[in-house]
Amino acid sequence: PPSTQYDVFAGGNQALEPEESRQATFGLVFEPVDDLTIGIDWWWLAIEDAFGQIDEGEAFANPGLYPDAWTTFRDIGTGTTYIAYNQTNVNTGKEYYSGIDINTQGRWEVGPGTLRSQLIATYMIRNDVQLTADGPYFDNINDYSSELDEVTFKWSGRILTSYEHGPFQHTVTFNYKSGYRDVLTEVELLGAGDTPTGEFDFVRLDVDDYYTFDWQSSWQATEFLRVKVGALNLFDEDPPLSLTTANFQIGYDARYYDPRGRVLFGEVSVNF
């Protein structure tokens, strides 16, 4: 019924079967010139009897599909028995993943110091997950899955570039996550003057690509003393708009983005 808060059980599951997996990788490394390497790895992973939990929203939307997601709770005060949500780990079925990892590194002598750069990136090819044995597969690459209540980025990675000269080292990091289609969300339509109309519709936002820059500089003052300063999210980039409520708030997805904006830091370390 509406306006009801259900009890939730969490804990061990004696009926849990062990996961089994099969894996394969194939990689190549090229060195077209001195001090430059390009590595490409294809990988594939299959899991049977995967450990997991049925997402709460999916279980309540389709209770008949997930009989193991339900149990009962007896209120010792009233003696009444209620239906309760069972959030213990279960064997959800099979999962298949595959992708390509890229790792490129270069080194050059520039002026009085050394310039180093590294690209680390992952391109996802497959991400198919079952929530029940013999059930349907759900794919969430660049497409938020309501059933899985999460998204897998098609592209993610970072580029690290550092310059070392004498006791100084300066590093700039570029971080990237590709955009995706947001969770399907019911919204109320607004009329003139942004007044609610009482009419509702479903929308799916296009979540923007997200990139940030980090900076760090360090000075090895003595053999024992090192000073470090820097900034995370140097240009104060806001998380992209998302309507998911998976984190009990709305506006951004806190699992993938940091809402703090620019963060300055410093560190003094002494080794002896």
Side-chain angles (χ1 to χ4, degrees), residues 249-260:
Q249 92 283 315
I250 197 168
Y252 70 98
D253 196 325
R255 295 170 296 180
Y256 311 125
Y257 309 105
D258 189 336
R260 296 176 298 172

Side-chain angles (χ1 to χ4, degrees), residues 11-19 48-52 67-69 86 88-93 133:
N13 180 0
Q14 292 183 344
L16 202 63
E17 296 291 333
E19 289 183 334
E48 296 184 11
D49 294 324
F51 297 158
D68 293 337
N86 184 12
T88 58
N89 280 330
V90 296
N91 293 113
T92 56

Side-chain angles (χ1 to χ4, degrees), residues 48-220:
E48 296 184 11
D49 294 324
F51 297 158
Q53 300 173 345
I54 308 303
D55 175 69
E56 183 177 309
E58 172 66 10
F60 277 89
N62 301 286
L65 298 180
Y66 308 104
D68 293 337
W70 308 102
T71 184
T72 57
F73 168 73
R74 183 175 178 82
D75 189 325
I76 60 174
T78 64
T80 304
T81 299
Y82 298 96
I83 294 175
Y85 177 56
N86 184 12
Q87 205 175 37
T88 58
N89 280 330
V90 296
N91 293 113
T92 56
K94 298 178 181 179
E95 300 179 1
Y96 294 95
Y97 307 94
S98 66
I100 297 175
D101 290 341
I102 302 171
N103 190 335
T104 300
Q105 302 182 58
R107 177 181 180 276
W108 304 270
E109 298 300 325
V110 179
T114 302
L115 181 68
R116 304 176 191 271
S117 189
Q118 181 180 21
L119 164 65
I120 304 172
T122 296
Y123 175 79
M124 289 296 299
I125 299 173
R126 186 179 184 186
N127 192 100
D128 292 326
V129 177
Q130 285 181 317
L131 292 179
T132 57
D134 302 321
Y137 286 91
F138 301 102
D139 177 8
N140 64 354
I141 295 180
N142 268 19
D143 194 344
Y144 195 108
S145 168
S146 298
E147 295 82 8
L148 303 178
D149 204 21
E150 61 183 8
V151 67
T152 295
F153 297 97
K154 188 76 169 180
W155 278 102
S156 62
R158 62 186 185 273
I159 300 174
L160 302 92
T161 301
S162 65
Y163 186 67
E164 303 174 23
H165 57 100
F168 299 97
Q169 181 182 59
H170 312 282
T171 303
V172 174
T173 304
F174 170 73
N175 308 289
Y176 177 76
K177 290 184 176 69
S178 59
Y180 61 91
R181 294 187 69 202
D182 199 17
V183 62
L184 183 66
T185 306
E186 187 178 23
V187 298
E188 184 173 5
L189 305 179
L190 301 179
D194 291 338
T195 57
T197 63
E199 299 179 3
F200 294 83
D201 200 355
F202 286 90
V203 300
R204 296 196 72 180
L205 299 180
D206 289 327
V207 179
D208 293 337
D209 294 356
Y210 186 67
Y211 55 88
T212 61
F213 288 87
D214 302 330
W215 155 71
Q216 177 181 291
S217 291
S218 64
W219 171 41
Q220 190 71 46

Side-chain angles (χ1 to χ4, degrees), residues 216-230:
Q216 177 181 291
S217 291
S218 64
W219 171 41
Q220 190 71 46
T222 69
E223 181 182 355
F224 308 103
L225 177 65
R226 186 179 184 90
V227 180
K228 184 186 301 182
V229 295

